[in-house]
Structure formats: C-alpha cells, structure tokens
Amino acid sequence: MTSQVSSPAEQADSAEQRGQTATGATAPDGAKEVRRLDRVIIRFAGDSGDGMQLTGDRFTSETASFGNDLSTLPNFPAEIRAPAGTLPGVSSFQLHFADHDILTPGDAPNVLVAMNPAALKANLADVPHGAEIIVNTDEFTKRPMAKVGYDTNPLEDGTLDAYNVHPVPLTTLTIEALKDSGLPRREAERSKNMFALGLLSWMYHRPTESTEVFLRKKFAKKPQIAEANVAAFRAGWNFGETTEDFAVSYEVAPATAAFPPGAYRNISGNLALSYGLIAASRQADLPLYLGSYPITPASDILHELSRHKNFGVRTFQAEDEIAGIGAALGAAFGGALAVTTTSGPGVALKSETIGLAVSLELPLLIVDIQRGGPSTGLPTKTEQADLLQAMYGRNGEAPVPIVAPRTPADCFDAALDAARIALTYRTPVFLLSDGYLANGSEPWRIPDTDELPDLRVQFATQPNHRLADGTEVFWPYKRDPQTLARPWAVPGTPGLEHRIGGIEKQDGTGNISYDPANHDLMVRTRQAKIDGITVPRLDVDDPSGEARTLVIGWGSTYGPITAAVRRVRADGGRIAQAHLRHLNPFPRNLGEVLRRYDNVVVPEMNLGQLATLLRAEYLTDIHSYTQVSGMPFKAEQLAARLEEAINNGLKETVHG
C-alpha cells in the first residue's frame, strides 16, 4: 500500500517517550464514544496455527495506508508446527503505530489479543496494568489451561483484575457468522483470526476495503474460503459496533508531520534489501545473480528476487551453502552483480569461498541476516553476534568491508552502498542485517530513480601494460592508483585471457607466486585497499554541545537507542548519539569522536563485539551494555542505563 504525504518533517525528540494519551470526543446520542490517541501498541498472540502473523500483517497494511508511522515486531516459533496450545508454540505480532515519528515496536502492548491460555500466559508479563486484554473465552477450558500450568481459570480467579478484560467467545461467534457458508466446523473455526482483525479494525478505525480485496485474492482458487474469511472479518467489525462490552473506539490520526513529502509504502527489511539489490543492478547496468541456500531468516530474499526475472535477476537455489556462494562467485567472474544470502551458520560454511573472493578480488555481496546462535541456535530470534565472524572468520589475512543497515527501510540504501563498495573496489562485502530488521516493517519513501547513485563500472576491454620489448599485454592485477582495485575482465574478451584461483598471485601479472616478498606485498596491498575505502564521516547528534556521554551503536540497535536518547533528553539529560553503518573500515573521524567524550556506551545484542573492536582500534575505554535474549532492546531499559552513565559514570561492562 502507498500513501501520499505532503507535509514537511518536524523534529520530535520527545515523541518516542510519550505515553498513550487520549482526548475525549463527545458522542451523539445513541452513538459510541470515540477517543483520540497519539499512539497505540497492539500485540496479537495465539497458537502458531492461528494466523497471528497474517492478522498482524493485514492490520499493519491498513495502518500504513491510513498514514500512521509504524514499527512492527513479528515473533514466532522456529518449529514449522509447534505443539498446539503450548508455550513454545505461541506466535505473536506486535505493532506500534502513532500520529508522530516513532522508532520501535514499543516496549509493552496497550492491547493484547490472546487467542488461548498459552498466548495469555506467555505474554501477560509484558502487559502493563490497566491495559486492555481481549481473550478468546472458548479456549479457556480445562485441557488447554492444564497444558500451560493454569490450575484455575485466570479469567475468574482474579489473575486479570488489574487489567481491562474483554471476554469474547471468538470461536463461537465465528462459527455462528459462517453457519451458512457450507464449511465444516473445523474449517470455519480457522477464520477466527479474521473475526479478531475485524474487531480491532473497528476499535481503531482502520480501513477495511483492502483487506477484503486481499482475502479474495489470496484465496482466489478457493472462493468459499475467501468469502468465509471476508464474512468473519465483517462479523468482527459488526460485533464491535453492536456489543455493549466495547463502549469506546479510538482514533490515531495520520502522522503527516513525521514524513518528508513523497509516496510511501510499508516495507520489511528483507523486502527493502531485495529492492535495493535490484536497484543496484539496474544502476550498475549489470545482471543480478543470487546464489543461495534457504535459511531462516534470509530465505525471503531468495523468494522475492525469484519474482523479478523481468529486471534481469537470476536466482539459483543451490544444494547447500557452499554451492550457493560458489555459483555467485562464478557469476562475479562472469561480469554479474553477484550476491549470496545466508545467516550465521551459513557464513561458517561459506568462509573458504569468501577467502577465495578476497584473493581473486572480485565484487561479491555476502548478505548475512543474523540470528541467535551458536550453531542452529535460535532460528527465528534476532542477534548481532556475527560481527567478529564477518570481520575475522577466514584463514589468513582476508579483510572484507562490512556495512550494516539500521532500520527495515534503511536496508534498501545499505544494499546500494554495499554494491558501490564491492563494484568500485573489486572486493567481497558483508551486509549485516538481522532478524529484527528482516521481519520488522516501517514506512518507506519510494525514491525517484534520479536520486539513486550511478554504479556503472568499466570492464577491461584491451591490454593495460607494455613490456620492455614493447609488447602490449593484459595484467589482471595491475591496480587503479586511487582505489587499488584490479581490472575486471569478462571471460572471453579477446586478448585478456588470465588465470584465477586460490594460490597467491604475483603482483601485476596474476601468475602463481610463492615468493615471500611478493606475498607480503599482496597481503599489505589487499589490506590497504580495504583501509582506503571511502565512507562518510560519522555524524554525531549532540544538540546541547555539552554532553559528556556518548552512546554509539550499529545495525538494528538504532531504533531502541534513539528512543532511549529521546527519553533521556526529555528528562533533561545531556547525551550525544552516533550510529555506525560502516564497520570496516570505520569512518575516518571515529577516533576523534570517541576521544571527545568522558563516557562511551555501546549497546549491542551480543557480548560486546563492537566494543571489543573499538577498544582494540582506538585504545579508548568503552562501556559495553549487552543483551542476547533473542529480542531487541527495550527503550525504557536503555534509557535507565544511559541515565546511570550520565549521572554516575560506568565502572565496568554490564551484561543486561
């Protein structure tokens, strides 16, 4: 869905720390009251077969089309079908939407929709007192409650007294709404998520037309199922309109002041990254080749790129991770913009071929959508623990540039930036996203094509070196004096025949060489090429100019860190913020920035990997604040930590 926004952006430093505030609206006689809110956080939770991700996606799409700013957090089990009704089988989708600029999916939901006892128990600890809980009462029978350890019914024993509970027999109401559909009872029950979506759409005045169109398109081959879902969706809306239990509905105005003018759409990180790769190939005037093996949470990139053959995209689903990157590297040798996608376990398998790409000095994008580890770890949870693997996870001296996007929409720009570096400097490049960015979504301004960088490269077409006897030859390792990049010759170009392989090359000629001095030169030259990559200077956000504490992050910590910084500043604290996109090489002014502050705090979803690199590179005292729970930081916890840093200083590394 796209929407047009024409108002200029406004600064909202305190927007993220605002509570959910409501203003009343007088209702006409007989009509229900409508209250206006500035933001809402909703979490849909149920069994992994209850369609919570689809429900959340549809609510998000309608919210995006309405013009709210938003941020989402899908959270689902790794198992294809976890045991029904159990805590490990709970799937949830959290959506934060507002009439102003926001940066995170929110710390705690204002509304929890719990489809069964497991969903209630798994999520109740996150719900603040006074929040609304919509419960499917049909599922609160003895057996489902016993599965999750409820000895008594939490709807009746006082467990939920501190909350505003709406008991709704979702299953019964859905079956009643579909009694004339001709569907068996079990099939009809499966539409209860659409009933819940209709109810929430009524509560928050979401558009409905697009959801009905979507359902009819999704189930076009099963029109009976399509109409059943539409009927359940409408029944949920009508239930909200007519029942006395929901006396109030809410409005959240469009966030027109949060966006620069332009056409917007809601986009996830993996989708934005896919579009960025396609845009890079078009701007480079090169075919895009993806050699990949399916792995969570990177597989969506393979799925998406396979749909775009009309843009010259060729996708190859290999038999394993090694074959995937091998095919991609071969495509790079053949003159394509080559990409391989994976997650941390796959990077381990690809490491030897990445080292080969370093030796061959060919452009190659290695997209790592990080997840919890080690080994298989937490396939559907997020982590930032592959930074040192990307930096050093190869034998020998094999430097590779590293680029990290900071938000789902920023994955588009990061892909273009990574392609720029790979093509300009003839090197493999790591693009480090993670599960939080990959699956989360936010509004994205669709750029005009004239805003995109020119990434075109010149292939070698003729000899580039003259021997002492006057003979003109092609030297595949004769370098550009500015970038130290070697020429890129497409195989089959007459007169430019040359060898490739993993054994060390002779400087210039590319012949096999075992000479110690030559190896030393080539190692140092490859490192100098990476060190010399042009990256923008690091910008520091320090509005007071008097902050003594700097918080610096990378990747997906941007949203929680920025939200926490806004809270600290709203409370009068002085704090500076900087965020790294380029992790190898670092921006030229990074050392100067670090030395400017008394305290430097680095929050990471690992055990302090960036902090380790900064200490080693700049010999600066870095205070690490870390979390490896598989979930993103909460703004509140980070704000408390930053307040402590400002007021008391930090004495040691703390693992949160």
Side-chain angles (χ1 to χ4, degrees):
M1 303 294 295
T2 61
S3 57
Q4 292 286 339
V5 179
S6 57
S7 299
E10 296 178 354
Q11 295 297 321
D13 282 345
S14 63
E16 187 74 19
Q17 57 85 35
R18 293 190 225 174
Q20 182 194 33
T21 57
T23 56
T26 304
D29 291 342
K32 292 190 176 184
E33 180 184 355
V34 178
R35 295 179 187 170
R36 295 182 178 87
L37 304 175
D38 65 350
R39 69 182 183 99
V40 177
I41 304 169
I42 297 174
R43 184 181 298 178
F44 298 94
D47 191 72
S48 58
D50 283 340
M52 294 296 94
Q53 303 306 316
L54 174 62
T55 304
D57 282 341
R58 288 314 311 161
F59 197 93
T60 299
S61 294
E62 298 295 3
T63 297
S65 69
F66 188 72
N68 297 119
D69 195 10
L70 62 89
S71 180
T72 68
L73 178 62
N75 185 18
F76 42 87
E79 291 80 5
I80 293 174
R81 186 66 172 91
T86 63
L87 293 175
V90 173
S91 175
S92 67
F93 188 105
Q94 184 161 304
L95 166 67
H96 183 189
F97 62 102
D99 65 1
H100 56 271
D101 174 33
I102 59 173
L103 295 158
T104 75
D107 287 358
N110 308 119
V111 181
L112 171 66
V113 180
M115 303 296 282
N116 60 17
L120 179 65
K121 189 162 190 175
N123 292 280
L124 188 59
D126 294 336
V127 183
H129 289 177
E132 295 192 81
I133 300 178
I134 299 172
V135 183
N136 180 16
T137 56
D138 287 327
E139 292 294 320
F140 281 75
T141 58
K142 187 174 182 179
R143 189 162 178 259
M145 289 190 295
K147 277 188 180 181
V148 295
Y150 279 132
D151 296 324
T152 58
N153 191 334
L155 307 182
E156 301 171 352
D157 63 8
T159 299
L160 305 181
D161 285 353
Y163 307 94
N164 184 12
V165 179
H166 300 278
V168 180
L170 288 173
T171 306
T172 299
L173 292 171
T174 302
I175 292 171
E176 176 64 22
L178 303 183
K179 64 182 179 181
D180 297 327
S181 68
L183 290 176
R185 178 186 176 92
R186 182 175 295 276
E187 284 292 326
E189 285 182 11
R190 297 179 64 182
S191 298
K192 62 181 180 291
N193 63 324
M194 288 298 105
F195 189 100
L197 177 61
L199 174 57
L200 269 293
S201 297
W202 172 83
M203 283 183 66
Y204 292 99
H205 295 253
R206 300 296 90 183
T208 61
E209 294 81 2
S210 293
T211 292
E212 295 189 12
V213 171
F214 167 83
L215 291 171
R216 291 191 171 100
K217 182 177 180 181
K218 179 178 177 63
F219 299 105
K221 295 182 179 180
K222 299 179 179 179
Q224 188 180 26
I225 299 294
E227 293 308 315
N229 277 284
V230 170
F233 177 68
R234 290 176 175 174
W237 176 282
N238 293 333
F239 178 78
E241 181 71 26
T242 57
T243 184
E244 295 182 2
D245 190 40
F246 292 90
V248 178
S249 64
Y250 304 93
E251 287 184 347
V252 180
T256 53
F259 304 117
Y264 285 78
R265 61 157 294 161
N266 183 52
I267 201 165
S268 69
N270 273 351
L271 184 58
L273 203 155
S274 300
Y275 288 174
L277 293 173
I278 296 171
S281 75
R282 303 299 286 182
Q283 294 303 107
D285 196 22
L286 295 174
L288 178 63
Y289 183 94
L290 174 67
S292 184
Y293 180 75
I295 185 171
T296 302
S299 299
D300 285 344
I301 302 171
L302 171 61
H303 301 159
E304 182 61 34
L305 289 180
S306 68
R307 300 186 177 105
H308 297 287
K309 296 180 178 65
N310 56 312
F311 286 116
V313 179
R314 180 171 294 177
T315 54
F316 170 56
Q317 180 174 320
E319 65 268 29
D320 56 39
E321 295 280 4
I322 299 171
I325 190 173
L329 185 56
F333 179 57
L337 176 59
V339 184
T340 189
T341 53
T342 189
S343 190
V347 172
L349 294 166
K350 296 179 187 291
S351 292
E352 183 180 12
T353 308
I354 297 171
L356 176 60
V358 171
S359 176
L360 300 182
E361 300 189 46
L362 286 170
L364 174 68
L365 300 185
I366 305 114
V367 178
D368 177 5
I369 312 297
Q370 300 166 95
R371 73 189 204 191
S375 188
T376 306
L378 305 173
T380 60
K381 309 301 179 184
T382 194
E383 205 164 276
Q384 289 183 297
D386 295 351
L387 176 55
L388 294 183
Q389 183 183 30
M391 194 79 162
Y392 301 121
R394 293 162 296 283
N395 66 297
E397 299 289 345
V400 173
I402 303 172
V403 176
R406 64 186 188 179
T407 68
D410 188 49
C411 289
F412 178 87
D413 296 315
L416 285 164
D417 199 12
R420 171 190 69 86
I421 294 172
L423 295 170
T424 302
Y425 296 90
R426 311 287 197 269
T427 178
V429 177
F430 261 102
L431 181 57
L432 290 184
S433 181
D434 60 42
Y436 174 38
L437 297 183
N439 296 316
S441 62
E442 65 176 353
W444 171 58
R445 188 181 71 84
I446 302 170
D448 294 329
T449 54
D450 58 8
E451 298 175 25
L452 302 179
D454 185 351
L455 301 179
R456 287 174 294 181
V457 297
Q458 295 294 323
F459 289 111
T461 58
Q462 57 190 7
N464 61 359
H465 185 76
R466 186 184 299 272
L467 299 177
D469 63 3
T471 304
E472 292 189 340
V473 296
F474 176 64
W475 275 16
Y477 282 83
K478 185 170 184 176
R479 301 178 183 278
D480 181 295
Q482 299 299 319
T483 65
L484 298 182
R486 76 173 185 89
W488 192 6
V490 176
T493 305
L496 305 190
E497 296 84 359
H498 61 284
R499 294 187 183 94
I500 63 169
I503 297 178
E504 183 63 280
K505 315 297 184 299
Q506 185 182 51
D507 181 36
T509 69
N511 295 330
I512 291 174
S513 173
Y514 296 100
D515 179 66
N518 178 78
H519 178 59
D520 187 274
L521 173 64
M522 294 295 279
V523 167
R524 295 181 187 278
T525 302
R526 287 188 289 260
Q527 183 65 59
K529 180 174 70 169
I530 303 307
D531 292 342
I533 291 172
T534 300
V535 300
R537 288 172 59 85
L538 181 65
D539 291 329
V540 180
D541 176 23
D542 186 2
S544 72
E546 300 177 359
R548 304 311 311 152
T549 297
L550 169 71
V551 55
I552 188 166
W554 69 278
S556 66
T557 56
Y558 173 78
I561 289 174
T562 306
V565 166
R566 288 178 175 181
R567 294 187 184 206
V568 170
R569 289 175 180 167
D571 291 337
R574 293 175 177 173
I575 190 166
Q577 178 188 0
H579 206 79
L580 290 168
R581 167 177 282 178
H582 298 94
L583 299 158
N584 192 34
F586 286 129
R588 302 285 185 269
N589 65 328
L590 177 54
E592 170 197 333
V593 168
L594 295 175
R595 288 188 290 272
R596 200 185 305 163
Y597 296 91
D598 297 335
N599 292 317
V600 179
V601 185
V602 180
E604 298 181 77
M605 293 188 293
N606 55 45
L607 294 183
Q609 296 188 15
L610 175 60
T612 296
L613 294 175
L614 295 178
R615 291 188 191 109
E617 182 72 17
Y618 301 104
L619 303 180
T620 301
D621 190 16
I622 303 294
H623 304 289
S624 182
Y625 183 58
T626 63
Q627 171 180 295
V628 281
S629 64
M631 297 295 287
F633 282 107
K634 292 184 177 180
E636 183 178 6
Q637 74 185 89
L638 272 179
R641 187 61 178 161
L642 297 180
E643 292 276 10
E644 180 185 344
I646 293 170
N647 297 329
N648 306 316
L650 294 170
K651 304 301 181 185
E652 60 185 13
T653 297
V654 174
H655 301 297

